[in-house]
Amino acid sequence: MTRTLISGGLVVTAADELHADVLIENGVVVALALPGRHHWTAERVFDASGKYVVPGGVDAHTHMELPFGGTFASDTFETGTRAAAWGGTTTIIDFAVQSKGASLRAGLDAWHAKAGGRCAVDYGLHMIMSDVNESTLREMPGLIGEGVTSFKLFMAYPGVFYSDDGQILRAMQQAADTGGLVMMHAENGPAIDVLVEQALARGETDPRHHGEVRKALLEAEATHRAVQLARVAGAPLYVVHVSAREALAEIAAARDLGLPVFGETCPQYLFLSTDNLAEPDFEGAKYVCSTPLRPKDHQAALWRGLRTDDLQVVSTDHCPFCFKGQKELGRGDFSKIPNGLPGVENRMDLLHQAVVDGHLTRRRWIDIACAAPARMFGLYPRKGTLAPGADADVVIYDPHATHTLSAATHHMNVDYSAYEGRTVTGRVETVLSRGEVVLDRGQYLGRPGHGAFLPRSTCQYL
Ligand code: URP
Ligand code: ZN
Ligand code: ZN
């Protein structure tokens, strides 16, 4: 039996802040106790005095190796989960993709093959449904039985991932009957495609036009429609990557009616804006993602939504494409820029910065980054908290250390940082995954294959 003791730190969970020692045996937290009031011994002791001891982050929205726009997201499961660990995230939930015409099974098997034996930290899988039909609907309960309990549908990207309203309603009905959770990319894709065509015809080809055609109202309209379809189906709904205050208002209105509607936003919508999309010399391409970055004045509404629980989760939507050779595919035509931003390594630090800046309390930081995503996707209390019986996914976090985010020092396999030059207060010092030390004071000690697939139960907010 291996015993590890983390002593003297301030343990912060979504529920509590307490000075406590944490005892870990065989990869599991077995006890918390008042410092000095126990006689625990351990082979390995970490002194966390002056530091926070927090649950490992749960990033419920990543896309390692996602095929998109004729290329692939540049992080593999190996490089992406290593970067996650560097940033204090010890669980990711990635998206397996059903290709059009193929089965969900084939997509899921392909993603298991990509991820299996390669991850540094534990991982779960959602399923992207790009072809809702009788046969794929029938497959949904089987996937739920295997621990893939959430299904992403797209109201955007006609011809690629898009589902029409009838398909969405059918998938929601099946989710309602079987306990699945529909995750919605809520943007009116057909309308956006018209605006893209018109913009390009006017010669508006720069990255900033990506943000202009993907209008906030079209995110809000799709969000409203998704909520009504979920009501008709009697299904819960989780809206991914909410960026527009008008879309958030639709979620808040649904929640005020007591509907099981949930929302996620991402660090890029909280810290970046259309000013980044407008950077000259095609630099704006680094910030092309969908939903798009919004004008700065949307950020206050998102922070408020996180405080009032109209938004429950902050995930990264980590979907990196290198500037050289990948983002550059869209020079002269913004619609050809692969959509997505890197960030899996930065989320815990950026959200801690939000604590420093007064947007969030410490407990809310841990709630939106660890506990709520674990609950939302059926992993709690194994993940997302520090309590007897939880996996010993633990981060010792130095709240006073400062560092500067940069492509020169990050570990994501991408040639730029969306947060280049931004100095943050707070830094991951030590990371344990199921009791194994993955990172300690700047030294990476993890290995591919340590991370295990996590079969998930259904949403724990229902
Ligand atoms: O721009 C984004 N978000 N890329 C990843 C795919 C998606 O829609 O989540
Ligand atoms: Zn999406
Ligand atoms: Zn995504």
Side-chain angles (χ1 to χ4, degrees), residues 212-234:
E212 284 164 15
V213 297
R214 303 188 86 92
K215 296 193 177 299
L217 284 179
L218 295 178
E219 184 187 343
E221 182 278 327
T223 305
H224 180 83
R225 193 158 28 103
V227 169
Q228 305 316 318
L229 290 168
R231 280 175 94 172
V232 169

Side-chain angles (χ1 to χ4, degrees), residues 172-208:
M172 286 175 165
Q173 287 170 331
Q174 183 69 319
D177 287 348
T178 55
L181 180 61
V182 168
M183 307 171 75
M184 190 59 75
H185 181 131
E187 288 186 291
N188 185 325
I192 287 168
D193 279 5
V194 170
L195 298 180
V196 169
E197 202 184 300
Q198 293 171 344
L200 291 174
R202 287 193 297 269
E204 296 169 356
T205 59
D206 289 345
R208 73 188 159 88

